Amino acid sequence: MNGFDSVIRWLLQAQGTGLRWLREELERANVRIRLTDSCLDELVRSADDCARRSGAHSERSYAERFRAEILARASFIQRWTGSDEKMSLQNEETLQDLVRIARKYALPRRWKLSEPVVVEHRRKRPSDWQWTDDIDSGAVPQS
């Protein structure tokens, strides 16, 4: 990361731009789950780390990389809270980090219920034979 990108990074962090961008992207993605401030902060820090790591081999500026990482996190949160599909990202390490954050802050996950299916249950003997076996003969008064 060059000196200009370092200054831009410092300005973005000082102004809280990453947090604002993440909230905007979550709203745009129609995420209705309330996320705690600490969860959002951790997601922004994760985006910052990925943007810094990818900076050595990229022609894009830090701000562009950071914005793309913020968008990826908003997309992940939208998919995590909105469906039960298998998660996938290009970078497996980043995916594991995002799943760790989602579990740490107990973000809810939707689950599809399977269609109900009728299953036949065969009894070995008729059910009306069963109820008389449980009666204690000593408890029944003899007349």
Side-chain angles (χ1 to χ4, degrees):
M1 198 159 80
N2 61 28
F4 183 69
D5 279 344
S6 296
V7 171
I8 295 296
R9 177 178 175 263
W10 181 81
L11 284 173
L12 290 175
Q13 287 182 346
Q15 294 175 345
T17 305
L19 187 58
R20 183 174 43 87
W21 283 348
L22 182 58
R23 285 188 173 142
E24 288 171 1
E25 291 298 332
L26 289 172
E27 186 176 326
R28 195 172 293 131
N30 292 324
V31 174
R32 299 291 175 223
I33 304 297
R34 281 190 48 90
L35 300 173
T36 62
D37 289 338
S38 57
C39 178
L40 293 172
D41 288 339
E42 193 162 345
L43 288 167
V44 170
R45 282 193 308 271
S46 171
D48 175 55
D49 289 342
C50 285
R52 280 188 299 139
R53 276 188 269 137
S54 66
H57 308 293
S58 179
E59 298 83 33
R60 298 182 334 176
S61 70
Y62 170 80
E64 292 171 332
R65 293 189 313 269
F66 184 55
R67 183 70 183 217
E69 292 295 335
I70 291 289
L71 181 61
R73 271 125 188 96
S75 174
F76 171 82
I77 294 299
Q78 190 270 334
R79 287 187 355 222
W80 180 268
T81 60
S83 71
D84 69 343
E85 69 184 59
K86 184 177 180 185
M87 299 305 212
S88 62
L89 286 176
Q90 289 179 346
N91 187 347
E92 189 67 30
E93 182 180 327
T94 302
L95 177 63
Q96 289 176 358
D97 187 43
L98 293 176
V99 169
R100 180 192 57 78
I101 293 170
R103 289 183 177 159
K104 177 180 178 183
Y105 292 99
L107 298 183
R109 186 109 200 255
R110 290 189 191 246
W111 298 103
K112 289 183 187 174
L113 297 176
S114 61
E115 291 293 322
V117 177
V118 176
V119 177
E120 183 179 352
H121 176 70
R122 294 189 174 251
R123 296 178 186 254
K124 294 181 181 174
R125 59 184 181 179
S127 62
D128 56 343
W129 291 358
Q130 180 70 31
W131 70 275
T132 58
D133 293 345
D134 296 334
I135 295 178
D136 182 14
S137 61
V140 178
Q142 303 287 329
S143 39

